[in-house]
Amino acid sequence: QVQLVESGGGSVEAGGSLRLSCVASELPGRSLCMGWFRQAPGKEREGVAVLGPGGRSTYYADSVKGRFTIPQESVKNTVYLQMNSLRPEDTAIYYCAISTRTSCIGRPDSKWFNYWGEGTQVTVSS
């Protein structure tokens, strides 16, 4: 059973930074998409950043482009999310996810992802 464990969430002031980490107990395949979703109260879960198989593609939501990145060291069984210039609207529970799809091009659908972490809370105050 693949388990994903997130860490690194917390409370910061607007303009601050956080680095989320997600460690997979094992990888369910050789060609995987790994990434991050978030869900704010009363809103649908949205894809924030997704790394395609082998790191050949990267997706970022428009709302986080230029502020969030999945660092290059996000390989094998660990994926990170570096979040800079945080805003109050970034407040949400952030979930790590893995998809066994061989391609994750474009805006990610949560239905693509087979494995999910339990989430880590990120709170940004103004």
Side-chain angles (χ1 to χ4, degrees):
Q1 180 72 17
V2 175
Q3 292 185 328
L4 305 180
V5 180
E6 303 104 333
S7 61
S11 297
V12 296
E13 293 185 351
S17 298
L18 285 172
R19 183 179 174 100
L20 305 183
S21 300
C22 172
V23 179
S25 59
E26 60 182 285
L27 295 180
R30 295 174 62 86
S31 182
L32 303 169
C33 303
M34 300 178 71
W36 296 89
F37 286 72
R38 69 184 180 186
Q39 187 164 18
K43 294 189 176 181
E44 292 186 356
R45 189 171 297 190
E46 65 167 341
V48 175
V50 174
L51 194 65
R56 293 187 294 273
S57 66
T58 309
Y59 166 88
Y60 294 104
D62 288 344
S63 58
V64 306
K65 280 181 182 176
R67 301 187 299 121
F68 291 11
T69 57
I70 295 183
Q72 286 300 312
E73 58 264 39
S74 294
V75 295
K76 295 185 179 180
N77 70 325
T78 304
V79 63
Y80 303 95
L81 182 66
Q82 179 65 45
M83 305 186 295
N84 299 327
S85 302
L86 283 161
R87 304 168 180 170
E89 54 264 38
D90 295 319
T91 295
I93 299 175
Y94 284 71
Y95 298 90
C96 173
I98 289 179
S99 169
T100 53
R101 284 172 63 104
T102 56
S103 174
C104 292
I105 301 296
R107 183 178 177 182
D109 189 327
S110 61
K111 297 183 180 65
W112 297 354
F113 290 79
N114 316 84
Y115 304 95
W116 292 86
E118 293 188 352
T120 185
Q121 177 71 47
V122 172
T123 303
V124 185
S125 58
S126 57

